[in-house]
Amino acid sequence: MAPLREKIAYALGDAASGGITWKIMSVAFPLFFTHVFGLSFADAAALMLVARIFDVFTDPLMGSIADRTKSRWGTYRPWLIFGAIPFGIIFALLLFTPDLGPAGKRVWAYTFYLLMMAVYTAVNVPYGSLLGVMTTDDNEKNQFSAFRMVGAYAMGFITLIIFPILQKHIGGTEQHQYAVLGAIFGLVAALMTMTCGLMTKERHQPVIAEKFSFKQFADLFRNKPWVYMTSIAFCTNFFNGFRYAVVGYMFTYCICGEFSLGRFILNYTAFMAFSEVTCMIFGALSPAFTRKVGSKRMAFVWASVICCVFSVLYFFIPMDASYLWLMVLVSMLASVGAGLYSPLIWSMYADVADYATEKNGTSSTGLIFSSGTMAQKFGGAISGSLIALLLGYAGLVSHTDMVTGETIVSITNEESVRTMVWALFSLFPAAIAAIMTYLAYKFPLKK
C-alpha cells in the first residue's frame, strides 16, 4: 500500500500540468492570442491545428521512448525530474509578448507553442504512465487517479480564482500582466513537477520491449478497448475545450464585463473556477460513485449524461448579467459529470495497458498513456481552433495595428457573434457529451 505522501506527490504532477499550465492554456490562451498578443483569428486557429498535427507524431514517439528508458530513477520518473525546469521556462516565454511586427509575432507564437507542446509531452506522457507501475492493485489505481484529479482541479480552482486578482495587483499593460503571470505560474509548475518525480516510487517493473518496432503502433489499432478509450478521451477534452476556451468571449460579448464583489473579481477565469471546485469534489467522490454504479463503464455513462443534460439547459438561460449566478450554478452542475468521469479516464487507460500487456507479452504502458495525452491536446486545441474559426465566421475580426502595434478587435455582426458564443458554451459541448455517452456504453472492458 502506497503512503499518503506519495499519493499527494503524484497529485502535484497534474496540479502543475493540468491545474496550472493546461488550465491557463485552455481558458486564457484563446483570448490572449487574439486580444492581447495580436494574432488574427485565422492565425490563432492555424497555430492550434499545426500544433495538433505535430502532436500526432511526438506523443506516441514519446510514449515509446519512455517505455524503453532505464535509469537510476526508474523508467518514467526521470522525465519529470529533468523536464521540470524547461517546462516552466517555455511556459513563461509563451505568455511573453515580444516587441515585433505581425510576422515576428507569428514566428514567436509558433515556435514557443510547439516547444510547449513538446515539453508538455515529454513530462506528461511519463507522468500518466507512472500510474501503471506504482501499483498493480486496481482499487489503489483508482485512488491514485482520484488524487490526481483532485490535485488538478484544486490547483485549477486556485489558478483561475487568483489569476484576475494577480492581474490587477501587477498592473501595467495586459501584455506586461501576462508576462509576469507566465513567470510566476511557470516557476510554481516546475517546482511541483520536480517534487512529483522525486517523491513517487516505481514498484512494478514493466516488461520492456528492447527493440523499437512499428508493430507496437499497429497493435494499438487492433486493440479494441484502446480505440474506444482514445475516442472517449478525445470527446472529454473536446467537451472541456469548448467550455474553457469560449468563456472569455462569453464574458466579453454576452455578459459584457467582469464584476467585483468586494475584493473578489468574478471574471471569465473566476467563473470557471466554480466548475473546477465542483470537479475537485466529485473527482474525489468518483471511486465511491463507481462502486455504487457497479463498473467504471457505467459510471462514465451516467457522468456523460449529466454533462449533456445541463449543457443543453445552459443554452436556455437568458443572455443577461442579472442571471449570472444561475449561469454559474448550471455550469457547476454540468461539471459534476466532468468531475465524476475525470479520474476514470486514467484508471481505464491503465486497464487498457494491462489488457495490451496480457495480449502482446510486452509493456506498452507509455505508448498507451501517450494516446491519452494526445487526445487531451487534440480535443482541447481542435475545439479552440474551431472556436476561432467559427467566431471569425460569425463576424469577429482581430488584427494588429501596423503603426501602434496594438491589437484591434471589431464586430461585423454583433447578434451573430453573441449567439455563436452562447452555443459554443452549451450546445456544442452537449453534442460531444452525447457521443461520449454512446462510446462509454460500448466500451469493451467491464471492470
Side-chain angles (χ1 to χ4, degrees):
M1 178 71 71
L4 177 62
R5 66 177 180 274
E6 186 175 355
K7 292 172 183 176
I8 294 172
Y10 185 66
L12 290 178
D14 214 14
S17 59
I20 296 178
T21 58
W22 194 258
K23 203 62 63 182
I24 292 174
M25 290 171 72
S26 299
V27 179
F29 270 28
L31 200 66
F32 167 72
F33 277 132
T34 57
H35 286 58
V36 179
F37 190 87
L39 294 183
S40 68
F41 282 90
D43 281 335
L47 169 62
M48 295 178 187
L49 284 176
V50 168
R52 296 297 71 79
I53 294 170
F54 179 68
D55 286 336
V56 168
F57 300 99
T58 59
D59 282 54
L61 180 62
M62 184 64 228
S64 187
I65 292 170
D67 282 336
R68 289 163 175 76
T69 299
K70 295 180 180 179
S71 76
R72 58 181 289 193
W73 297 278
T75 301
Y76 303 114
R77 291 170 56 239
W79 294 96
L80 281 76
I81 296 168
F82 297 104
I85 292 175
F87 185 53
I89 290 173
I90 292 171
F91 178 75
L93 290 172
L94 189 53
L95 279 167
F96 177 77
T97 303
D99 187 16
L100 300 170
K105 283 186 176 181
R106 280 196 294 270
V107 171
W108 180 280
Y110 272 82
T111 299
F112 284 101
Y113 198 86
L114 291 174
L115 281 174
M116 185 62 204
M117 290 300 95
V119 74
Y120 188 95
T121 295
V123 168
N124 216 45
V125 168
Y127 169 73
S129 303
L130 260 179
L131 184 61
V133 296
M134 287 191 296
T135 180
T136 56
D137 182 78
D138 198 51
N139 287 328
E140 196 166 34
K141 283 180 183 177
N142 285 346
Q143 291 174 20
F144 268 111
S145 191
F147 267 84
R148 171 183 182 168
M149 290 298 103
V150 170
Y153 286 124
M155 195 64 218
F157 171 76
I158 293 169
T159 299
L160 296 179
I161 280 289
I162 67 172
F163 198 93
I165 299 171
L166 288 175
Q167 268 189 291
K168 189 174 182 179
H169 180 73
I170 292 165
T173 65
E174 284 191 294
Q175 292 180 348
H176 172 71
Q177 292 167 9
Y178 276 91
V180 175
L181 287 169
I184 293 170
F185 284 114
L187 175 62
V188 175
L191 291 174
M192 286 182 168
T193 301
M194 187 174 292
T195 301
C196 176
L198 292 171
M199 294 186 65
T200 50
K201 185 176 181 181
E202 297 183 23
R203 294 175 179 80
H204 174 63
Q205 296 301 315
V207 183
I208 298 175
E210 296 293 341
K211 295 181 180 179
F212 178 84
S213 172
F214 284 103
K215 180 178 179 297
Q216 280 195 310
F217 295 93
D219 285 342
L220 285 180
F221 292 92
R222 289 192 287 267
N223 184 334
K224 189 176 179 181
W226 175 84
V227 172
Y228 271 92
M229 194 62 239
T230 300
S231 300
I232 291 168
F234 175 80
C235 286
T236 63
N237 290 288
F238 220 139
F239 174 83
N240 289 330
F242 269 116
R243 299 175 74 233
Y244 281 87
V246 81
V247 68
Y249 298 106
M250 185 174 74
F251 263 74
T252 302
Y253 299 108
C254 300
I255 304 174
C256 303
E258 62 182 34
F259 304 86
S260 295
L261 303 170
R263 292 187 177 183
F264 176 69
I265 301 172
L266 182 55
N267 75 337
Y268 70 100
T269 64
F271 181 89
M272 293 310 295
F274 287 99
S275 293
E276 288 294 297
V277 76
T278 304
C279 287
M280 178 186 70
I281 293 167
F282 284 89
L285 295 174
S286 181
F289 178 73
T290 302
R291 288 193 297 271
K292 182 74 174 177
V293 173
S295 70
K296 298 175 189 177
R297 178 179 68 93
M298 289 310 300
F300 215 113
V301 168
W302 283 111
S304 302
V305 169
I306 292 170
C307 291
C308 183
V309 169
F310 286 104
S311 294
V312 171
L313 286 177
Y314 192 95
F315 182 77
F316 295 99
I317 300 174
M319 211 180 298
D320 188 294
S322 61
Y323 291 89
L324 183 58
W325 290 109
L326 179 60
M327 298 172 200
V328 170
L329 175 62
V330 176
S331 178
M332 289 174 68
L333 290 171
S335 296
V336 168
L340 290 172
Y341 71 56
S342 293
L344 294 172
I345 296 170
W346 302 107
S347 182
M348 290 165 75
Y349 260 120
D351 295 338
V352 172
D354 291 343
Y355 171 85
T357 299
E358 291 174 11
K359 183 178 179 181
N360 302 320
T362 57
S363 173
S364 55
T365 301
L367 181 60
I368 286 171
F369 272 90
S370 74
S371 57
T373 304
M374 183 178 69
Q376 177 190 29
K377 291 190 285 186
F378 233 88
I382 290 180
S383 57
S385 181
L386 278 176
I387 285 169
L389 287 172
L390 290 170
L391 289 179
Y393 174 78
L396 203 56
V397 181
S398 172
H399 67 276
T400 300
D401 188 286
M402 297 294 291
V403 178
T404 65
E406 293 181 353
T407 301
I408 304 206
V409 180
S410 57
I411 301 177
T412 59
N413 189 329
E414 184 175 348
E415 190 59 33
S416 175
V417 168
R418 283 162 58 86
T419 302
M420 179 62 75
V421 168
W422 209 247
L424 285 168
F425 191 81
S426 55
L427 297 184
F428 279 75
I432 296 299
I435 296 169
M436 191 163 60
T437 303
Y438 172 78
L439 291 171
Y441 183 77
K442 299 293 289 184
F443 185 65
L445 301 181
K446 310 299 182 185
K447 289 187 178 183

